[in-house]
Amino acid sequence: VIGDAPAVQVRLGSRSYDIQVGTGNLAGLANFVAERCRVSHAVVITDECVETTYAAQAAESLSQGGAIVDLLVVPAGESTKSLEVAEDLWIKMLELGIDRKAVVLAVGGGVVGDLAGFVAATYARGLAFVQVPTTLLAQVDSSVGGKVGINLPGAKNMVGAFWQPLGVLVDTAVLTTLPDREYRAGLAEVVKYGVILDAEFFAYLEQHVPELNAREAGVLEHVIVRCCRLKADVVEADEREETGGRAVLNYGHTFAHALEATAGYGTLLHGEAVAIGMCCAARLSQRVQKLPPRDVARQQALLLALGLSTRMPAIDRQALLAAMQRDKKVEHGRLRFVLADRIGRVGLVDDVDPVDVQTAME
Ligand SMILES: NC(=O)c1ccc[n+]([C@@H]2O[C@H](COP(=O)([O-])OP(=O)(O)OC[C@H]3O[C@@H](n4cnc5c(N)ncnc54)[C@H](O)[C@@H]3O)[C@@H](O)[C@H]2O)c1
Ligand SMILES: [Zn+2]
């Protein structure tokens, strides 16, 4: 339904933009971009997994709209978010004669979005940028909020910028080809939004498990719109992560980051680690914030119903605790967690006892 697809406004003063959510709307990309900026030269950055499908579709729409289109393809995978790949893109763009009037489009998952956004933010001191996220995680999380960047060896997302797009176009139809694990990993972040901010949405998810597992377009549109709205609310209140408001999005993430680092990067997908991390966070919430056991059980049951594992892998708990103390979000080694006191409401809790943290991992 091109045209009347629902949209989410992200209100950030002069950097405001909207997120259009639909099914089959990728075909209308040229119009979507033309409504937001003058397009004479478009650079589509994508990875090799979606190059011949969605990037090609995007490029075709843009050239039909009259733009000169260059397609730049990077390898798929987290290691692509590197200075080397960014430099390669800068140089190719220079060779292609890309100037300040060009627009950069990211067509891909969070890796492509973060990398292309970083290149857009830095090339010629900043180019117009449009996101076309193609993973569920990118559609509900990474394409919203303007954080772009690359990794340094051993330091994820260490170099980057806040660079808001002119718009985000979400087409649920692209999710039909997403590998099962990637799809479910995205669902973990969806469940997270319910737990941290919206009990009613959490109940909606519980009531639509079969549709979610079947990737039903209508339910996906509703879910993506709600998640983007919730993230936009958080970002609007704390665009540059200065007031701590954005921290609620890290529910389950202190555990997840420790799991990802200790299990060896690549063993667990981020969303898979988040699912397990949320279970730890819920148990810790039960101890520290009196989260009712029934809510702990509801969260776990929903994650399981969506095909996510909630079991802690056999990793040395001491190593996990040490990794948490090294987390960049931990201030001066004091353990600080986003914890829930009921489904739909979380707060920051300082100085959590490491013994409670260890117990929560059992
Ligand atoms: N900027 C932010 O606020 C923010 C937030 C969360 C995560 N992130 C970043 O996002 C990245 C993870 O993103 P991701 O989970 O999307 O991973 P990803 O970009 O690596 O995509 C996962 C895999 O799916 C493939 N793929 C993408 N769309 C597809 C489709 N429609 N059909 C088939 N295959 C498809 C990709 O090629 C890739 O192999 C991390 O680097 C993380 O740091 C950023
Ligand atoms: Zn996450």
Side-chain angles (χ1 to χ4, degrees):
V1 270
I2 302 155
D4 50 10
V8 175
Q9 305 294 326
V10 187
R11 289 166 293 242
L12 296 167
S14 60
R15 294 173 306 289
S16 296
Y17 58 97
D18 64 346
I19 304 162
Q20 187 198 81
V21 182
T23 302
N25 50 337
L26 180 55
L29 179 67
N31 282 340
F32 180 82
V33 179
E35 281 162 11
R36 284 152 186 85
C37 66
R38 226 181 62 82
V39 212
S40 52
H41 202 155
V43 184
V44 176
I45 299 180
T46 192
D47 76 21
E48 55 207 1
C49 287
V50 293
E51 173 189 358
T52 58
T53 49
Y54 311 119
Q57 232 182 298
E60 177 164 322
S61 169
L62 292 163
S63 22
Q64 274 174 4
I68 302 167
V69 184
D70 286 303
L71 190 63
L72 299 180
V73 186
V74 298
E78 185 69 29
S79 58
T80 276
K81 264 174 61 175
S82 68
L83 184 60
E84 291 70 28
V85 178
E87 183 183 17
D88 206 44
L89 291 170
W90 288 325
I91 290 170
K92 284 198 181 116
M93 285 163 69
L94 182 67
E95 288 166 358
L96 289 166
I98 304 296
D99 62 20
R100 303 213 45 197
K101 295 189 289 287
V103 53
V104 173
L105 290 102
V107 181
V111 164
V112 166
D114 282 13
L115 171 73
F118 176 69
V119 166
T122 47
Y123 184 85
R125 294 196 185 79
L127 300 183
F129 174 49
V130 170
Q131 292 254 33
V132 183
T134 63
T135 64
L136 181 58
L137 180 124
Q139 294 182 344
V140 299
D141 188 357
S142 62
S143 68
V144 189
K147 278 197 194 176
V148 298
I150 56 174
N151 304 323
L152 291 181
K156 225 174 111 69
N157 300 327
M158 201 58 219
V159 174
F162 290 95
W163 193 248
Q164 302 294 347
L166 294 178
V168 181
L169 184 145
V170 174
D171 184 349
T172 69
V174 306
L175 298 178
T176 52
T177 56
L178 194 63
D180 192 62
R181 276 184 74 189
E182 298 288 350
Y183 177 70
R184 296 188 187 288
L187 286 176
E189 301 279 1
V190 169
V191 172
K192 181 193 78 178
Y193 285 110
V195 177
I196 63 174
L197 293 164
D198 191 341
E200 207 178 293
F201 179 57
F202 186 91
Y204 174 90
L205 296 173
E206 289 179 316
Q207 288 149 16
H208 291 83
V209 165
E211 294 88 338
L212 286 165
N213 284 330
R215 309 190 194 189
E216 210 218 77
V219 168
L220 280 171
E221 282 186 26
H222 174 79
V223 162
I224 293 163
V225 165
R226 191 66 199 136
C227 292
C228 288
R229 181 67 260 155
L230 291 167
K231 181 154 182 188
D233 287 343
V234 171
V235 169
E236 285 168 4
D238 183 18
E239 183 184 1
R240 300 179 68 96
E241 207 162 16
E242 287 158 341
T243 66
R246 230 167 144 141
V248 297
L249 300 169
N250 283 324
Y251 176 71
H253 278 58
T254 306
F255 290 103
H257 291 152
L259 276 166
E260 290 179 270
T262 315
Y265 280 107
T267 314
L268 283 173
L269 293 180
H270 172 69
E272 293 172 334
V274 168
I276 299 167
M278 285 198 291
C279 292
C280 296
R283 287 189 293 266
L284 187 58
S285 299
Q286 184 183 339
R287 283 181 82 83
V288 179
Q289 292 292 86
K290 302 197 168 56
L291 176 68
R294 188 178 118 62
D295 285 354
V296 180
R298 273 179 79 193
Q299 184 197 269
Q300 174 153 2
L302 179 56
L303 291 167
L304 285 170
L306 296 174
L308 286 150
S309 169
T310 58
R311 182 168 322 143
M312 276 292 286
I315 295 172
D316 178 47
R317 304 296 191 258
Q318 216 52 53
L320 285 172
L321 199 61
M324 279 182 235
Q325 271 148 345
R326 284 193 302 268
D327 194 312
K328 68 173 188 255
K329 301 258 150 68
V330 174
E331 272 164 35
H332 313 296
R334 283 161 59 209
L335 288 166
R336 178 189 235 212
F337 286 87
V338 178
L339 298 177
D341 60 357
R342 59 170 167 78
I343 284 177
R345 191 168 70 193
V346 288
L348 259 183
V349 183
D350 270 316
D351 260 333
V352 177
D353 187 340
V355 175
D356 286 334
V357 176
Q358 276 208 306
T359 313
M361 291 192 285
E362 298 318 318

